[in-house]
């Protein structure tokens, strides 16, 4: 037998043929996976695992090709004899079938390469990129102008801009203005710096150096997008995108294509090839667009989620809205859904989710760091600034940090028209922080500077009036505002929640406390006794009027009907009433029930859940004269993020007996997180 060279032996044993076939089939499998996996919302690691196993399998396939071959008798070891002496050698078989199969696969691969690189007009991504000088500067993506003469497509330009904006936010080195900031600043679009009329320019409002703008129109059966990058300070064009066109398919397909094209010019090829982001449902996006940057509507958010379950940002905002609502099963389901889809969330959405998780669990510093990370990245975004300030005020008890954050937001630019109810929540927290740092006169001046914005938020504006009149010790004004609240159409539970906060404040006078009880009694007179909040309010009034509870009063029957914070409140009222009557033996079970609510969960934030329970226990033990135990529970409450409002901790009249204790004074000290620049 003539000695074969190594390469001849590789050929005889079909190793070359197996290597080529394996490479082609593996490439086809990866192509199929890149299409199928995103469609079924498979986790991102699945594609990586598939690639890993295909790579590992390649040398194994070559080893098997060397050692074995197919025969009429099945798989047998390859003979080491010469080909002409081997009855199963390929040299004695017609290779037509196997060669034809390989040729077909090779033709498919080459054909696809030629098509997508030379003939395709709809989905290839140009090799051109936006210059680095532009990509290194902050850019704002503004709604595109509709030139189709079809008013039903007006929202297409807004949604397209928002969808592209969210994509750019997911690129680590891209400096982008958040969508909320863009929309709240659109009244200044077109105004350049040093405007002769003195108007504030768009670039000053948003911090943008460049603007991505454009228009869209119909040509034959295709929708054409003409986009460009302009200098935000001069209006000059710096980069023009080649026209981006798409055959008129579904709106979602057009949006998906447009985002891929723009991100491709932004040198985001790696992002696109590994994670193709499909546009959310167009109808759902239209609904969401109307509430960006504003206080969200619960019903609308629920509708958006029902239309498109994988539209993640509305689901996250739904959880943000729900943190004061006692619906643990619903909230936990949303958190679990987002955890399952975590690999598909954008970096913006992941930061929000981290913030909310820590908020619900009472992790004060971690919650602040998560939302503050977004604030530093999007310094002009009202919502992330507002949530950072609220977290600093409530969970960190840090008025100095709260005011520092709010000072970056021009109040005149963020009225209820731009941010809805957030305007009044800002007023509440900024006022409390101002009082703690600067005193009574400063807070009165601040609250007077907040103007009533609309009649829809009469309730919130009345709370402002109560704050001012309490600090001014103006009984007549306080009385009028309390009457407005109690006669409003708002639910009894909501009216009671706020009025009892004023009542327990050390800043509230006895005359003002009397008017609160008087107005709540009048409100009870027109309420249905079957209202779940009725028992709370009635028991609270009796407690403060020093009327003992009925011996047959059973707080347990209200547990299933009341929100968790309200049931915690009822347990506290029950215990304080029994302590006042000297019936200490009757409160042990209620205390145990409050103590069992020690562990935070994703059902309700600690501010209204377990944190409130621990705070109420502190109040109960202070009433019992057990000061050290009271401090222990109050410290737990503080660690869970219960805020030091102007009615809690050192401002709570129920805790005056603890005021001189150094341990209690420590609870009122601000927490300073490590803030990254």
């Amino acid at each position: 037998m003539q000695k074969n060279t190594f390469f001849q032996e590789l050929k005889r044993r079909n190793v070359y043929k197996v290597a080529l076939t394996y490479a082609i089939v593996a490439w086809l499998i990866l192509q199929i996976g890149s299409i199928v996996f995103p469609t079924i919302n498979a986790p991102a690691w699945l594609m990586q695992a598939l690639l890993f196993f295909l790579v590992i399998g390649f040398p194994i396939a070559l080893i098997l090709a060397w050692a074995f071959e197919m025969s009429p008798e099945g798989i047998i070891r390859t003979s080491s004899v010469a080909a002409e002496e081997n009855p199963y050698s390929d040299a004695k078989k017609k290779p037509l079938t196997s060669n034809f199969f390989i040729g077909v696969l090779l033709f498919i691969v080459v054909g696809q390469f030629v098509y997508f690189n030379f003939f395709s007009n709809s989905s290839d991504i140009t090799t051109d990129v936006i210059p680095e000088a532009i990509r290194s500067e902050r850019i704002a993506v503004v709604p595109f102008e509709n030139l189709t003469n079809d008013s039903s497509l007006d929202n297409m330009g807004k949604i397209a801009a928002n969808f592209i904006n969210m994509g750019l936010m997911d690129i680590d080195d891209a400096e982008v203005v958040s969508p909320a900031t863009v929309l709240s600043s659109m009244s200044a679009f077109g105004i350049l710096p040093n405007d002769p009329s003195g108007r504030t320019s768009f670039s000053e409002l948003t911090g943008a150096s460049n603007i991505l703008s454009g228009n869209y129109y119909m040509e034959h059966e295709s929708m054409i997008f003409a986009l460009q990058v302009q200098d935000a300070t001069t209006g000059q064009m710096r980069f023009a995108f080649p026209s981006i066109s798409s055959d008129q398919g579904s709106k979602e397909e057009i949006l998906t294509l447009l985002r891929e094209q723009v991100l491709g010019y932004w040198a985001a090829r790696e992002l696109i090839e590994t994670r193709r982001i499909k546009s959310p449902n167009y109808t759902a996006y239209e609904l969401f667009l109307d509430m960006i940057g504003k206080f969200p509507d619960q019903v609308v958010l629920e509708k958006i989620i029902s239309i498109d379950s994988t539209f993640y940002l509305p689901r996250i905002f739904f959880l943000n809205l729900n943190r004061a609502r006692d619906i643990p099963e619903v909230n936990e389901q949303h958190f679990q859904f987002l955890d399952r889809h975590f690999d598909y969330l954008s970096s913006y959405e992941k930061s929000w989710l981290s913030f909310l998780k820590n908020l619900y669990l009472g992790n004060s510093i971690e919650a602040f760091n998560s939302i503050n990370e977004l604030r530093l990245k999007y310094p002009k975004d009202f919502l992330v600034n507002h949530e950072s300030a609220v977290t600093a005020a409530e969970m960190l008890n840090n008025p100095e940090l709260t005011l520092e954050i709010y000072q970056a937001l021009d109040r005149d630019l963020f009225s209820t028209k731009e941010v809805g109810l957030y305007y009044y929540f800002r007023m509440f927290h900024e006022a409390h922080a101002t009082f703690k740092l600067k005193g009574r006169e400063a807070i009165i001046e601040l609250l007077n500077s907040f103007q009533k914005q609309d009649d829809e938020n009469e309730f919130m504006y009345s709370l402002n009036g109560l704050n001012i009149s309490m600090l001014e010790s103006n009984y007549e004004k306080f009385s009028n505002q309390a009457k407005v609240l109690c006669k409003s159409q708002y639910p009894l539970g909501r009216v009671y929640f706020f009025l009892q906060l004023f009542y327990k404040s050390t800043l509230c006078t006895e005359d003002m406390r009397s008017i609160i009880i008087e107005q709540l009694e009048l409100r009870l007179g027109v309420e249905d006794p079957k209202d779940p909040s009725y028992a709370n309010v009635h028991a609270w009034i009796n407690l403060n009027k020093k009327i003992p509870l009925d011996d047959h009063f059973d707080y347990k029957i209200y547990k299933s009907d009341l929100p968790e914070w309200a049931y915690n409140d009822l347990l506290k009222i029950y215990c304080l009433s029994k302590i006042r009557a000297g019936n200490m033996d009757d409160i042990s079970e209620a205390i145990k029930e409050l103590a069992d609510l020690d562990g935070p969960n994703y059902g309700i934030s600690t501010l209204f859940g377990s944190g409130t329970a621990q705070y109420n226990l502190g109040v109960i033990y202070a009433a019992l004269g057990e000061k050290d135990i009271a401090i222990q529970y109050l410290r737990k409450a503080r660690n869970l993020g219960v805020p030091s409002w102007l009615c809690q901790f050192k401002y709570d009249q129920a805790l005056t007996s603890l005021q001189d204790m150094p341990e209690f004074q420590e609870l009122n000290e601000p927490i300073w997180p490590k803030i990254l620049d």
Side-chain angles (χ1 to χ4, degrees):
M1 182 180 67
Q2 199 173 30
K3 187 176 180 179
N4 293 314
T5 67
F6 175 69
F7 294 106
Q8 288 174 329
E9 191 67 12
L10 288 176
K11 181 178 180 182
R12 184 180 77 81
R13 293 172 182 256
N14 296 322
V15 176
Y16 290 136
K17 189 181 297 184
V18 169
L20 180 60
T21 303
Y22 188 96
I24 294 173
V25 171
W27 182 84
L28 288 174
I29 291 173
L30 289 174
Q31 293 301 304
I32 294 170
S34 67
I35 296 172
V36 174
F37 288 170
T39 304
I40 63 175
N41 288 325
W45 60 261
L46 196 57
M47 191 67 178
Q48 298 169 350
L50 178 61
L51 177 61
F52 173 79
F53 284 117
L54 288 174
V55 171
I56 293 297
F58 184 69
I60 296 174
L62 298 186
I63 293 171
L64 293 175
W66 175 276
F68 299 96
E69 66 178 322
M70 294 294 298
S71 77
E73 297 176 6
I75 299 176
I76 64 171
R77 289 185 62 85
T78 303
S79 173
S80 61
V81 301
E84 60 271 13
E85 299 175 18
N86 183 356
Y88 306 121
S89 171
D90 276 359
K92 294 187 176 184
K93 294 184 288 187
K94 294 181 179 180
L96 179 62
T97 302
S98 59
N99 288 344
F100 176 77
F101 175 69
I102 294 173
V104 169
L105 292 178
L106 193 58
F107 176 78
I108 292 173
V109 173
V110 174
Q112 190 180 45
F113 174 80
V114 171
Y115 172 75
F116 282 108
N117 282 276
F118 297 101
F119 296 102
S120 174
N121 293 321
S122 60
S123 62
D124 62 316
I125 298 174
T126 179
T127 56
D128 294 332
V129 294
I130 296 175
E132 175 63 27
I134 297 177
R135 288 185 288 124
S136 63
E137 298 172 339
R138 190 175 296 276
I139 191 167
V141 186
V142 300
F144 307 139
E145 185 181 2
N146 179 14
L147 301 181
T148 65
N149 296 321
D150 183 350
S151 59
S152 67
L153 292 176
D154 283 348
N155 278 335
M156 172 64 83
K158 299 176 184 177
I159 293 174
N162 183 273
F163 194 43
I164 291 171
N165 201 333
M166 294 300 294
L168 291 173
M169 291 167 69
D170 211 24
I171 300 175
D172 290 338
D173 59 351
E175 294 288 333
V176 192
V177 177
S178 72
T181 304
V182 170
L183 293 179
S184 65
S185 307
M186 282 306 294
S187 60
F189 183 61
I191 301 176
L192 301 177
N194 302 315
D195 182 74
S197 63
R199 295 176 297 174
T200 304
S201 70
F202 183 80
S203 64
E204 291 169 322
L205 287 179
T206 62
S209 299
N210 299 297
I211 298 171
L212 174 56
S213 61
N215 57 62
Y216 52 104
Y217 56 93
M218 298 301 301
E219 188 175 277
H220 304 300
E221 296 298 321
S222 296
M223 183 175 288
I224 313 296
F225 283 82
L227 308 181
Q228 61 184 7
V229 176
Q230 297 172 273
D231 189 310
T233 60
T234 66
Q236 294 180 340
M237 185 174 69
R238 300 187 66 185
F239 180 87
F241 292 83
S243 295
I244 301 173
S245 65
S246 172
D247 293 337
Q248 193 174 13
S250 70
K251 293 184 177 72
E252 291 83 0
E253 291 171 344
I254 295 173
L255 291 169
T256 300
L257 167 67
L258 185 63
R259 170 161 147 160
E260 286 186 355
Q261 293 271 355
V262 172
L263 295 190
Y265 285 101
W266 214 274
R269 183 177 301 279
E270 293 81 5
L271 173 70
I272 296 167
E273 290 178 349
T274 59
R275 185 169 172 271
R276 185 172 188 266
I277 305 299
K278 291 176 60 180
S279 167
N281 177 277
Y282 189 82
T283 301
Y285 219 139
E286 283 187 303
L287 292 171
F288 181 65
L289 200 67
D290 290 336
M291 66 174 64
I292 291 177
K294 298 181 181 179
F295 194 81
D297 184 291
Q298 175 193 336
V299 175
V300 177
L301 285 173
E302 288 176 335
K303 185 175 182 179
I304 292 171
I305 295 169
S306 69
I307 294 173
D308 188 344
S309 63
T310 57
F311 195 176
Y312 303 118
L313 200 54
R315 191 182 293 270
I316 288 170
F317 287 167
F318 184 75
L319 281 170
N320 191 38
L321 185 66
N322 277 359
R323 64 200 204 193
R325 299 177 64 211
D326 186 20
I327 47 174
E329 295 83 6
V330 174
N331 290 342
E332 287 174 8
Q333 288 173 5
H334 285 298
F335 275 117
Q336 290 168 4
F337 181 91
L338 291 168
D339 282 340
R340 291 197 302 271
H341 292 249
F342 186 79
D343 288 339
Y344 292 97
L345 302 184
S346 68
S347 58
Y348 183 77
E349 291 162 339
K350 287 177 180 177
S351 292
W352 266 103
L353 180 59
S354 173
F355 163 65
L356 289 172
K357 279 187 172 183
N358 285 300
L359 186 76
Y360 272 69
L361 296 179
N363 300 327
S364 305
I365 293 179
E366 291 84 351
F368 178 81
N369 286 340
S370 295
I371 196 66
N372 193 56
E373 179 184 349
L374 285 178
R375 181 180 74 90
L376 296 176
K377 192 169 184 179
Y378 309 110
K380 300 290 186 177
D381 188 303
F382 178 87
L383 182 55
V384 296
N385 274 272
H386 172 72
E387 292 294 356
S388 298
V390 171
T391 307
E394 293 188 343
M395 301 190 77
L396 304 182
N397 186 32
N398 196 320
E400 184 177 342
L401 182 56
T402 302
L403 291 182
E404 179 185 323
I405 294 171
Y406 274 135
Q407 284 170 0
L409 300 174
D410 188 334
R411 196 181 309 133
D412 294 335
L413 301 176
F414 298 103
S415 65
T416 55
K417 180 180 179 181
E418 284 78 30
V419 298
L421 271 175
Y422 285 124
Y423 176 86
Y424 294 101
F425 286 119
R426 172 189 179 165
M427 172 187 71
F428 176 84
H429 290 96
E430 191 172 349
H432 281 216
T434 300
F435 176 81
K436 290 178 181 180
L437 283 182
K438 303 177 181 179
R440 190 181 298 265
E441 291 185 5
I443 190 177
I444 293 173
E445 181 182 351
L446 172 71
L447 288 172
N448 281 323
S449 70
F450 277 95
Q451 300 300 315
K452 183 178 179 181
Q453 299 277 321
D454 50 56
D455 293 329
E456 292 182 14
N457 296 309
E458 181 73 33
F459 184 89
M460 297 300 296
Y461 193 73
S462 295
L463 288 178
N464 177 21
L466 280 171
N467 261 314
I468 295 174
S469 55
M470 181 178 72
L471 294 170
E472 290 177 332
S473 298
N474 188 327
Y475 171 78
E476 183 177 352
K477 187 176 180 181
F478 187 92
S479 176
N480 290 335
Q481 294 297 338
K483 291 176 182 178
V484 170
L485 283 180
C486 285
K487 291 180 180 179
S488 70
Q489 298 301 312
Y490 286 95
L492 173 64
R494 186 178 183 186
V495 172
Y496 162 70
F497 173 78
F498 285 104
L499 285 180
Q500 60 89 23
L501 293 180
F502 285 102
Y503 186 94
K504 69 178 186 176
S505 173
T506 56
L507 303 172
C508 191
T509 66
E510 287 301 323
D511 287 344
M512 293 175 182
R513 292 192 180 106
S514 297
I515 194 64
I516 289 174
I517 290 178
E518 176 188 312
Q519 290 304 314
L520 282 174
E521 284 183 314
L522 291 173
R523 178 67 185 258
L524 279 184
V526 297
E527 290 288 341
D528 184 352
K530 295 180 180 179
D531 186 315
S533 300
Y534 191 97
N536 274 65
V537 180
H538 187 263
W540 181 83
I541 289 174
N542 285 343
L543 170 67
N544 289 290
K545 293 179 72 174
K546 301 182 179 180
I547 300 174
L549 282 176
D550 190 299
D551 291 338
H552 301 291
F553 180 81
D554 184 6
Y555 59 82
K556 297 177 184 176
I557 64 175
Y558 301 102
K559 184 172 184 177
S560 60
D561 296 325
L562 288 172
E564 187 170 320
W565 74 266
Y567 185 65
N568 290 346
D569 179 66
L570 186 60
L571 289 172
K572 180 189 71 174
I573 294 169
Y574 175 83
C575 290
L576 294 177
S577 296
K578 292 298 182 181
I579 291 170
R580 178 170 289 165
N583 300 327
M584 308 300 184
D585 296 337
D586 294 342
I587 67 174
S588 58
E589 192 173 349
I591 287 178
K592 183 179 184 303
E593 193 164 353
L594 279 170
D596 287 342
L597 294 172
D598 189 19
N601 59 70
Y602 287 139
I604 183 172
S605 74
T606 54
L607 172 59
F608 297 96
S610 58
T612 299
Q614 305 309 304
Y615 187 89
N616 288 342
L617 282 167
V619 171
I620 292 168
Y621 277 102
L624 287 169
E626 300 282 355
K627 296 183 179 181
D628 290 338
I629 299 177
I631 291 293
Q632 291 177 20
Y633 281 111
L634 291 172
R635 185 176 290 114
K636 283 185 178 181
R638 189 72 203 88
N639 291 339
L640 287 170
V642 172
S644 180
W645 289 333
L646 297 184
C647 58
Q648 302 199 137
F649 292 99
K650 73 175 183 180
Y651 298 103
D652 190 339
Q653 62 166 334
L655 300 178
T656 52
S657 62
L658 308 178
Q659 293 286 348
D660 295 332
M661 297 180 67
E663 298 89 345
F664 182 75
Q665 293 169 8
E666 287 178 9
L667 298 179
N668 294 280
E669 292 297 317
I671 298 171
W672 282 96
K674 183 178 180 181
I675 301 177
L676 301 176
D677 294 329

